[in-house]
Amino acid sequence: MMFPGRVAAVSYLNTVPFIYGIEHARLLRAGLILSPPARCVTAFTDGEADIALVPAAAVPGIPDAEIITPYCLGAHGPVRTVTLMSDSETGRISRLWLDGHSRTSALLIRILCEELWGIRPEFLQLDDHTAVDRPVPGDAFLLIGDKVFDYEGRFAHTWDLAVCWRELTGLPFVFAVWIARRGVPQETVDMLTESLEYGVSHIPQAISYYGHSGKSYAQDYLTQNIDFHLDAPKREALTIFLEKGRRFLPPPNPG
């Protein structure tokens, strides 16, 4: 059966199994929109996509959407590609530069600053990544996605945010979930779930097909760092994360 719609998904290494499954399971013949996490949200809200993989923090602000499938982008241990990097200890961080590609990571770092580290740095938008190459004392950088691999080992301190969240709560973390517009047929959701299952069970093939075989870290990253299953502990963690994050989110527009 053809799905006459489009699916928005993140264009990072961590979604390679999902994309492979959608394109190769031959169940969900949907058009794909590949982009950074924040763009997946606008693709859904603007009506370009009926199904999307979106940052967890974005879900409460998206009308007419519901979480679907038992799959997600999460981590039970180190996630490796959502990090805070600095040459300063946490207590000496005065400016924290936020990668704007994921509101979930930006919200998570605010929670960790207040509840885990007890600091209140100035938050700045990291629009020009050349700033990472010329830090001043007290600077810290929230870096997400594939670019993190390029900066590993370049700073005196690196904090894996999934590890920090577990230190704070004892739980895994959910970075992104699949949502669908209400009214999307259950048959379509089932086809998506089967497609994702196919992709997650063919990770070596996905790595090879999309040209990542030359990346020595790809196999370990996708099998040991990223956890694709939205299990009960992750659902609990998602609920707690959204509850903690409410005080950092802007109030709803009454108009």
Side-chain angles (χ1 to χ4, degrees), residues 9 56 101 117 160 203 206:
H101 283 167
W117 301 317
D160 187 299
I203 287 176

Short mmCIF file of all heavy atoms in Angstrom, two decimals, residues 9 56 101 117 160 203 206:
data_model
loop_
_atom_site.label_atom_id
_atom_site.label_comp_id
_atom_site.label_asym_id
_atom_site.label_seq_id
_atom_site.Cartn_x
_atom_site.Cartn_y
_atom_site.Cartn_z
N ALA A 9 12.38 13.42 8.85
CA ALA A 9 13.30 12.74 9.77
C ALA A 9 14.61 13.50 9.83
O ALA A 9 14.96 14.27 8.93
CB ALA A 9 13.54 11.30 9.34
N ALA A 56 12.02 15.63 21.49
CA ALA A 56 11.03 15.33 22.53
C ALA A 56 10.44 16.60 23.13
O ALA A 56 9.24 16.66 23.43
CB ALA A 56 11.68 14.47 23.60
N HIS A 101 20.04 23.54 16.78
CA HIS A 101 19.41 22.52 15.96
C HIS A 101 18.47 21.62 16.74
O HIS A 101 17.72 20.85 16.15
CB HIS A 101 20.47 21.67 15.25
CG HIS A 101 21.08 22.36 14.08
ND1 HIS A 101 22.22 21.91 13.46
CD2 HIS A 101 20.69 23.46 13.39
CE1 HIS A 101 22.52 22.71 12.45
NE2 HIS A 101 21.61 23.65 12.39
N TRP A 117 24.17 20.89 38.47
CA TRP A 117 25.40 21.64 38.69
C TRP A 117 25.20 22.90 39.52
O TRP A 117 26.17 23.46 40.03
CB TRP A 117 26.05 22.00 37.34
CG TRP A 117 26.39 20.81 36.51
CD1 TRP A 117 26.95 19.65 36.95
CD2 TRP A 117 26.17 20.65 35.11
NE1 TRP A 117 27.12 18.78 35.90
CE2 TRP A 117 26.64 19.36 34.75
CE3 TRP A 117 25.64 21.47 34.11
CZ2 TRP A 117 26.59 18.87 33.45
CZ3 TRP A 117 25.58 20.98 32.81
CH2 TRP A 117 26.05 19.70 32.49
N ASP A 160 28.73 14.22 28.68
CA ASP A 160 27.71 13.56 27.87
C ASP A 160 26.36 13.80 28.57
O ASP A 160 26.18 13.41 29.73
CB ASP A 160 28.01 12.06 27.79
CG ASP A 160 27.09 11.32 26.84
OD1 ASP A 160 25.86 11.33 27.08
OD2 ASP A 160 27.58 10.74 25.87
N ILE A 203 21.40 -2.74 10.78
CA ILE A 203 22.30 -1.60 10.97
C ILE A 203 23.58 -1.71 10.13
O ILE A 203 23.97 -0.73 9.50
CB ILE A 203 22.62 -1.43 12.48
CG1 ILE A 203 21.38 -0.86 13.18
CG2 ILE A 203 23.83 -0.51 12.69
CD1 ILE A 203 21.52 -0.73 14.68
N ALA A 206 22.74 -0.70 6.68
CA ALA A 206 22.43 0.73 6.59
C ALA A 206 23.71 1.56 6.58
O ALA A 206 23.84 2.52 5.81
CB ALA A 206 21.53 1.15 7.76
#
